Amino acid sequence: MILCSGESLIDMVPQPDGTLRPLPGGAVYNTAVALGRLGAPTAYLWPISRDGFGEALLGPLAKAGVDTARCPRTDRLTTLAVVSLAGGDARYSFYDEGSAGRMFADADLPALPPGLAALFIGGISLVPDPCGATIETLAARAAQAGVPVMLDPNIRPFFVGDENAYRARLDRLFGLASIVKLSGDDLDWLWPGDSAEGAARRLMARGVRLVLTTSGAQGAAAHTAALRLAAPAMRVQVADTIGAGDTFNAGMLDALHRAGALGRLDRLDEPALSAALAHAARAAALTVSRPGADPPWAHELA
């Protein structure tokens, strides 16, 4: 089983007539849904509100076969993200104070599921407390238990209140992670002027075994101690980029899990890594070809 822990929220997505359409979203939530749709055994851990939006979030998870039994239920409100689109690229404004997810606490953490294949974390859930500290505690427990942790910080600079504290948390999480995915924007914020190869060397020096870098239309690359592979982006008619990186993460985890590679990241060979990159790129391409975070089902990639 792959456990995803991090934010779920409602994206208020602009429509052609100027109205806002509420759609389930959140970086880690999207990855959980995408993993479930791809057929990977997936569980989700994040507080879910008892409000109407909370029920709307549970529906796609259930339809995708994602286990939500570990999600605490609360009367606090669901986080909202108002989306603006510019040239197909999504930008967000968050309404999160005192929300269901924001108040995620260590006391809400269950025991790690038996036979856990990987833990996926990331997104804005890493920024504020108490939820950021809770996710860090969960990652530390997983790493100590020998469970590979995949981290996608998906950095939103405008959401970061205390930059020094956030950088310190990311640095600690890099030391716990086995897989790190960074976008071009993430790289620019973390280490301005450094190359993807330079960032990969930094992270592998901390013990990260697989570094993934994405560059939108320029494609993606995978870096290990022995390999550097690139995959071009698939050409599609872009509706918007909502959920693209989240689906890429799911595609990578799905392919590595199916190949039995999550437990042997130190010994990843070129065929397995190349196949995983291609699978992730295809899944992401399908997501950007349709509006909102709407990741593909397994049969659409067959």
Side-chain angles (χ1 to χ4, degrees):
M1 174 186 288
I2 299 169
L3 176 63
C4 299
S5 188
E7 76 273 9
S8 56
L9 48 82
I10 295 295
D11 283 325
M12 305 298 290
V13 181
Q15 302 300 296
D17 64 1
T19 61
L20 294 174
R21 181 185 178 193
L23 295 173
V28 180
Y29 174 90
N30 292 339
T31 296
V33 170
L35 275 167
R37 289 186 178 187
L38 292 173
T42 308
Y44 183 59
L45 172 60
W46 191 249
I48 301 292
S49 176
R50 294 188 183 92
D51 65 14
F53 285 142
E55 294 303 317
L57 288 165
L58 288 172
L61 291 166
K63 189 172 181 180
V66 176
D67 180 355
T68 58
R70 295 167 184 82
C71 291
R73 300 302 301 273
T74 173
D75 290 329
R76 294 182 181 274
L77 299 178
T78 299
T79 297
L80 300 181
V82 177
V83 183
S84 59
L85 299 175
D89 291 329
R91 295 291 183 266
Y92 302 85
S93 300
F94 294 96
Y95 297 81
D96 188 48
E97 282 295 328
S99 68
R102 177 75 167 265
M103 304 311 292
F104 190 29
D106 281 4
D108 296 319
L109 288 175
L112 293 174
L116 187 60
L119 170 67
F120 177 79
I121 60 172
I124 63 168
S125 57
L126 304 179
V127 179
D129 288 325
C131 62
T134 302
I135 296 296
E136 188 175 342
T137 297
L138 177 64
R141 291 179 184 175
Q144 186 175 22
V147 175
V149 176
M150 180 174 178
L151 165 65
D152 175 7
N154 199 15
I155 297 166
R156 308 292 186 189
F158 56 82
F159 192 75
V160 178
D162 186 336
E163 182 176 327
N164 290 334
Y166 178 53
R167 286 184 180 274
R169 172 162 291 150
L170 288 181
D171 187 64
R172 293 191 298 271
L173 289 171
F174 290 148
L176 297 171
S178 296
I179 305 172
V180 173
K181 196 288 287 288
L182 299 173
S183 68
D185 288 343
D186 294 336
L187 286 169
D188 290 343
W189 191 87
L190 285 164
W191 303 295
D194 204 352
S195 64
E197 290 78 8
R201 286 193 295 271
R202 288 175 185 264
L203 291 168
M204 286 188 282
R206 299 293 311 280
V208 178
R209 293 166 176 81
L210 172 60
V211 180
L212 304 164
T213 54
T214 58
S215 303
Q218 283 69 55
H223 314 252
T224 71
L227 298 168
R228 188 209 181 271
L229 301 179
M234 293 182 62
R235 292 185 178 275
V236 295
Q237 183 68 41
V238 175
D240 60 53
T241 61
I242 301 173
D246 311 325
T247 305
F248 179 90
N249 295 332
M252 285 297 304
L253 284 170
D254 176 54
L256 293 173
H257 180 63
R258 291 178 188 277
L262 286 172
R264 52 177 181 85
L265 292 170
D266 285 330
R267 303 185 303 280
L268 263 180
D269 58 28
E270 185 169 343
L273 186 53
S274 180
L277 264 180
H279 183 61
R282 287 186 64 209
L286 272 174
T287 299
V288 302
S289 72
R290 45 206 195 192
D294 185 10
W297 297 83
H299 69 82
E300 295 181 276
L301 299 178

